[in-house]
């Protein structure tokens, strides 16, 4: 199983494979070493996120959403041209072809398992054992999105407080020497 993650320190994207036998990961961007959560996979099956430890994971198709949208828009645009020139048969054929292409891609493209908290992506055998993880749940996703926003806000407040705090004055022993 392979994990694609984002470093919390420098936001660099990294990959770990196989996660089952990797006890820790070192970021290629900032050299931050981070231990993987033990027990996140058992017998080659994913139980929880190896990066952050949460058990809230979801699945989606491992396909760029922008490309899927482009296929739909191009099919619609071509069909409207045929409709304008009063060629309904070609219009429906283009719409049917784009729908068939979408269906073929849906069944051929594999799933990727994604962590709600850290957005780590798991690919390969065992990433969704026995259909354990379900499709994206908006309520759970919003809860973790709000959590990420609060963490960023706290980091920003801490950084601004550190920047505005007065520098320490020299001690009396330094003044006398």
């Amino acid at each position: 199983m392979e994990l694609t993650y984002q470093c919390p320190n420098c936001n660099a994207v990294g990959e770990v494979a196989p996660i089952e036998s990797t006890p820790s990961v070192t970021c290629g961007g900032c050299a931050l070493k981070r231990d993987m959560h033990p027990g996140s996979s058992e017998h080659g099956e994913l139980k929880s996120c190896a990066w952050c430890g949460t058990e809230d994971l979801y699945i989606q198709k491992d396909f760029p959403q922008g490309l899927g949208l482009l296929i739909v828009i191009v099919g619609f645009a071509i069909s409207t041209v045929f409709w304008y020139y009063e060629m309904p048969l070609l219009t429906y054929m283009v719409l049917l072809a784009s729908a068939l292409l979408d269906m073929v891609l849906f069944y051929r493209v594999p799933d990727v398992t994604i962590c709600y908290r850290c957005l780590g992506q798991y690919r390969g055998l065992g990433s969704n054992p026995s259909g354990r993880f379900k499709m994206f749940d908006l309520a759970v996703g919003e809860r973790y999105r709000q959590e990420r926003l609060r963490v960023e806000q706290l980091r920003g407040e801490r950084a601004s407080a550190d920047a505005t705090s007065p520098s320490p004055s020299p001690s009396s022993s330094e003044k006398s020497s």
Side-chain angles (χ1 to χ4, degrees):
M1 199 173 350
E2 173 187 312
L3 165 65
T4 304
Y5 66 92
Q6 184 176 12
C7 176
N9 192 35
C10 69
N11 293 329
V13 175
E15 292 184 2
V16 180
I19 64 165
E20 298 87 356
S21 61
T22 307
S24 64
V25 177
T26 303
C27 175
C30 66
L32 174 73
K33 186 173 180 179
R34 183 172 178 156
D35 293 333
M36 300 288 270
H37 283 268
S40 61
S41 64
E42 201 170 86
H43 307 296
E45 295 183 346
L46 189 65
K47 291 174 48 181
S48 64
C49 180
W51 189 251
C52 70
T54 186
E55 292 184 3
D56 290 331
L57 301 155
Y58 66 95
I59 58 168
Q60 73 178 27
K61 289 294 178 185
D62 196 8
F63 187 77
Q65 293 176 351
L67 182 57
L69 184 60
L70 181 67
I71 291 170
V72 170
I73 290 172
V74 167
F76 176 74
I78 293 171
S79 68
T80 56
V81 170
F82 286 130
W83 187 261
Y84 176 79
Y85 288 113
E86 297 180 3
M87 299 180 198
L89 185 59
L90 288 176
T91 300
Y92 295 129
M93 287 176 61
V94 168
L95 290 174
L96 181 64
S98 62
L100 286 173
L101 177 61
D102 185 47
M103 187 174 69
V104 166
L105 287 173
F106 181 79
Y107 287 108
R108 298 288 299 184
V109 173
D111 289 334
V112 61
T113 304
I114 302 174
C115 175
Y116 281 103
R117 176 173 284 143
C118 69
L119 303 177
Q121 300 178 355
Y122 296 88
R123 292 175 177 83
L125 288 174
S127 62
N128 189 16
S130 307
R132 176 179 178 196
F133 305 116
K134 304 300 178 203
M135 299 298 283
F136 183 78
D137 182 355
L138 186 58
V140 177
E142 182 62 18
R143 184 177 76 220
Y144 282 104
R145 188 183 75 83
Q146 292 292 328
E147 177 183 293
R148 284 191 298 275
L149 290 173
R150 282 192 301 273
V151 167
E152 287 300 317
Q153 181 183 12
L154 290 173
R155 283 183 184 155
E157 288 173 2
R158 186 176 301 142
S160 64
D162 290 343
T164 59
S165 65
S167 60
S169 62
S171 66
S172 59
S173 63
E174 291 175 355
K175 290 179 186 176
S176 61
S177 50

